[in-house]
Amino acid sequence: MSEFSKEVVDLVWGRPNSSGMSPSLFRRWTQGFVFSETEPTALEQFEGGPCAIIVPVQAFLLKNMLFNFENSNWRELSAALAAEDLGFERFHSLIHKRTLNSVCELREAVLSLYDSWRNKFGVLLFLYSVILTKGIENIRNEIEDTTEPLIDPVYGHGSQSLINLLVSGRAVSNVWDGDRECSGMKLKGINEQATVGFLTLMESLRYCKVGSCLKSPKFPVWILGSETHLSVFFTKELALVAPESPSEQARRVFQTYDPEDNGFIPDTLLEDVMKALDLVSEPEYVNLMKSKLDPESLGIVLLGSFLMEFFPEQDSGIPDSFPVYHYNGLKQSNHNEKVCYVEGTALVLGFEDPMVRTDDTPVKRCLQTKWPYIELLWTTERSPSLN
């Protein structure tokens, strides 16, 4: 195994223990970029693990098909290949590095190697190419725990650092905006608006809080994370990623002072929130607002009351309803075990309306971390699966 190859292997798989790499875990990652026979623009995932690569690639494919091409028939494309069965050591002894000096050269090389991306090792070749392009040392400098490999050596799942690397170009371990200080340690997050977004069920369970850089991307395509898998939610409705309205900005700022997502803040923080939003914040006026927003003197200010007082009836610009789609690359997670986009209709409301309440599903709970009052009506009998 060459020296560069060993460095990449250590970064991705971790330093080998006495028992070596599990053949079954490596086998799960040996697949190419293969398109579904029933949905020609949807990539298939054969086993658990490589969704950390396949799903971000799928998200960018969808972004390009929906918004970069004139062709309205975005659900058309073509299919896949097979390759020699190689073990872990043999595969890594055969790969070699090629350096390209311009984007033009890179584009030509990628196209000339198209069959290699589609064969059995395409996903790993793509991953190693991304790592070498970014630079091994650059990645190590961004990862919080350098002893943690990009692929879990026991379960085979891609780390958050790997997902962030593919989505944002930074191999950081966190999903919040910017960098934070904690007990003298610098914890790195996402530092600019992503092209495609990321939402996670873990936020609905209060394990983390995704920042606006990932939550509000440039295009309406979101990777959705469950406990063990990734999928994609997308739409052609660009109003979903339009610049924040004043009320949306107010909600976001208010929530930065409510890190536990309680839906309220102590009234002592009201002045800070008002200053952050450039509202009148003279002490007398703030005290008047405290009395109005907290008439029972509980010492808290509710998010809903705050928005109704300062940003009443603001139109977000989002249509009442619009078509949406969900992608899951695992056959067994799709109806009739055929990888297809599931179509539906979304309603994004500014309040809870019991008249249009739909079933509580993991997909909906994941999306509610961005749109608290979203409702989803799918064309299939069962809702799409996050897993």
Side-chain angles (χ1 to χ4, degrees), residues 210-229:
V210 179
S212 60
C213 289
L214 288 174
K215 208 172 260 186
S216 301
K218 295 175 184 176
F219 292 90
V221 179
W222 286 267
I223 294 167
L224 305 184
S226 72
E227 302 93 333
T228 58
H229 188 47

Side-chain angles (χ1 to χ4, degrees), residues 197-199 215 217 220-224 231-233 240-241 370-371:
F198 176 79
L199 304 172
K215 208 172 260 186
V221 179
W222 286 267
I223 294 167
L224 305 184
S231 57
V232 183
F233 174 81
L240 265 69
V241 290
K370 176 167 175 62
W371 303 284

Side-chain angles (χ1 to χ4, degrees), residues 35-93:
F35 289 100
S36 166
E37 292 180 4
T38 50
E39 191 75 76
T41 61
L43 293 167
E44 282 197 18
Q45 179 185 338
F46 303 149
E47 295 191 66
C51 60
I53 305 296
I54 292 169
V55 170
V57 169
Q58 178 71 58
F60 278 94
L61 279 175
L62 287 164
K63 187 274 291 186
N64 286 326
M65 289 185 294
L66 292 170
F67 303 105
N68 288 20
F69 298 122
E70 295 294 321
N71 187 358
S72 60
N73 198 3
W74 55 271
R75 295 175 77 161
E76 296 297 323
L77 239 170
S78 53
L81 295 175
E84 179 187 355
D85 192 11
L86 301 173
F88 184 84
E89 296 294 337
R90 176 69 176 148
F91 167 68
H92 287 97
S93 71

Side-chain angles (χ1 to χ4, degrees), residues 4-22:
F4 98 84
S5 183
K6 184 178 184 308
E7 278 194 277
V8 172
V9 168
D10 287 350
L11 180 66
V12 174
W13 305 98
R15 296 189 182 278
N17 55 33
S18 56
S19 59
M21 168 56 58
S22 161

Side-chain angles (χ1 to χ4, degrees), residues 34-253:
V34 178
F35 289 100
S36 166
E37 292 180 4
T38 50
E39 191 75 76
T41 61
L43 293 167
E44 282 197 18
Q45 179 185 338
F46 303 149
E47 295 191 66
C51 60
I53 305 296
I54 292 169
V55 170
V57 169
Q58 178 71 58
F60 278 94
L61 279 175
L62 287 164
K63 187 274 291 186
N64 286 326
M65 289 185 294
L66 292 170
F67 303 105
N68 288 20
F69 298 122
E70 295 294 321
N71 187 358
S72 60
N73 198 3
W74 55 271
R75 295 175 77 161
E76 296 297 323
L77 239 170
S78 53
L81 295 175
E84 179 187 355
D85 192 11
L86 301 173
F88 184 84
E89 296 294 337
R90 176 69 176 148
F91 167 68
H92 287 97
S93 71
L94 292 175
I95 60 177
H96 62 275
K97 179 170 71 172
R98 179 179 170 191
T99 302
L100 303 160
N101 298 314
S102 69
V103 173
C104 186
E105 278 186 40
L106 174 64
R107 187 178 290 113
E108 287 179 12
V110 167
L111 291 174
S112 70
L113 295 169
Y114 184 57
D115 288 346
S116 297
W117 305 123
R118 299 196 304 175
N119 77 24
K120 187 169 183 178
F121 298 97
V123 167
L124 285 175
L125 291 172
F126 176 81
L127 169 58
Y128 292 177
S129 298
V130 169
I131 288 170
L132 292 170
T133 301
K134 169 80 175 179
I136 293 171
E137 276 310 305
N138 290 332
I139 292 175
R140 286 201 175 116
N141 289 335
E142 290 175 348
I143 293 176
E144 215 158 89
D145 182 358
T146 54
T147 64
E148 178 193 339
L150 294 177
I151 296 174
D152 186 282
V154 178
Y155 300 105
H157 300 135
S159 68
Q160 189 65 50
S161 294
L162 175 54
I163 297 165
N164 286 347
L165 172 63
L166 293 170
V167 172
S168 73
R170 294 189 88 200
V172 296
S173 309
N174 304 298
V175 292
W176 57 58
D177 290 344
D179 300 337
R180 296 183 181 180
E181 289 282 339
C182 181
S183 302
M185 288 179 59
K186 187 177 183 180
L187 305 178
K188 297 176 182 176
I190 308 299
N191 61 0
E192 61 182 32
Q193 183 186 27
T195 300
V196 301
F198 176 79
L199 304 172
T200 174
L201 190 63
M202 296 297 97
E203 180 170 347
S204 73
L205 300 172
R206 300 197 175 191
Y207 285 111
C208 68
K209 182 96 173 163
V210 179
S212 60
C213 289
L214 288 174
K215 208 172 260 186
S216 301
K218 295 175 184 176
F219 292 90
V221 179
W222 286 267
I223 294 167
L224 305 184
S226 72
E227 302 93 333
T228 58
H229 188 47
L230 299 174
S231 57
V232 183
F233 174 81
F234 62 101
T235 177
K236 296 181 82 170
E237 184 51 68
L238 283 165
L240 265 69
V241 290
E244 281 183 317
S245 68
S247 63
E248 288 167 332
Q249 182 197 14
R251 179 187 293 273
R252 176 175 57 78
V253 169

